[in-house]
Amino acid sequence: MWIIDQSMLWRQFDLAITNLEQAIRACPEHLWESQLWPDEPDQWVAAGFSNFWYLAYHTLFWIDLYLTGTEEGFMPPAPFALVEMRDNETLPRTYTPNELLGYLEHCRQATQSTIMNLNTEQAQRLCSFSWGEVPFGELMIYSLRHVQEHGAHLHMVLGQQARGKA
């Protein structure tokens, strides 16, 4: 029994991706490489994870990876780096807004295609990650929440910056 159909899920994902796109487009040049919060001494992610540009990249990276349902064999499209898969990694070079907007469109198209072609058997397929195991359909909802979280976070920072200049 489907409670959420593909069209409903895609519409919500598209809104979340559009929200992330708007944050990337609205980011002023001076904020692009700014660290949004200090690194934690024991964080498993790379130092500088909280840079505006990297938080946007992180979000796109995980949309793309989760669409595959597995970490094994995953590689983001060029020129993007395979990061966040192991402890103590370093950030790749700073990606430009245009590069991230191109990756965003790649993710948007792949997400729409994946969701609109999703059948019950595929949705129930178990996906294993270092953090746990989840059916693919639930992984899509998890991914949607992740995009919403970081899109909202980037917009909050933009709003705080705008108020600080007023």
Side-chain angles (χ1 to χ4, degrees), residues 6-24 59-60 63 104-105 107-109 111-112 115 143-152 155:
Q6 292 97 323
S7 295
M8 284 184 212
L9 181 57
W10 165 241
R11 281 191 303 270
Q12 294 305 306
F13 233 117
D14 188 38
L15 288 168
I17 292 170
T18 297
N19 187 50
L20 178 63
E21 175 185 13
Q22 290 167 343
I24 293 169
T59 307
L60 296 168
I63 292 171
L104 183 138
E105 283 309 312
C107 290
R108 184 191 314 270
Q109 291 170 9
T111 302
Q112 182 179 25
I115 290 172
S143 183
L144 169 62
R145 289 179 35 242
H146 183 248
V147 177
Q148 289 171 324
E149 172 191 9
H150 289 311
H155 277 285

Side-chain angles (χ1 to χ4, degrees), residues 82-97:
L82 184 64
V83 294
E84 297 194 33
M85 306 289 279
R86 292 181 220 63
D87 290 347
N88 301 317
E89 291 184 309
T90 58
L91 295 183
R93 69 167 174 83
T94 301
Y95 299 123
T96 67

Side-chain angles (χ1 to χ4, degrees), residues 53-61 76 80-83 92 95 100 103:
W53 75 269
Y54 190 76
L55 197 54
Y57 175 65
H58 158 87
T59 307
L60 296 168
F61 177 92
F80 303 106
L82 184 64
V83 294
Y95 299 123
L100 291 189
Y103 195 16

Side-chain angles (χ1 to χ4, degrees), residues 128-139:
S128 295
F129 293 91
S130 58
W131 51 262
E133 194 172 76
V134 64
F136 185 76
E138 187 174 345
L139 181 61

Side-chain angles (χ1 to χ4, degrees), residues 119-163:
N119 63 38
T120 303
E121 184 179 316
Q122 293 165 333
Q124 294 173 346
R125 174 177 57 102
L126 283 181
C127 301
S128 295
F129 293 91
S130 58
W131 51 262
E133 194 172 76
V134 64
F136 185 76
E138 187 174 345
L139 181 61
M140 291 297 91
I141 295 170
Y142 179 90
S143 183
L144 169 62
R145 289 179 35 242
H146 183 248
V147 177
Q148 289 171 324
E149 172 191 9
H150 289 311
H153 190 190
L154 294 175
H155 277 285
M156 180 186 74
V157 168
L158 292 170
Q160 289 170 338
Q161 289 290 313
R163 281 193 305 278

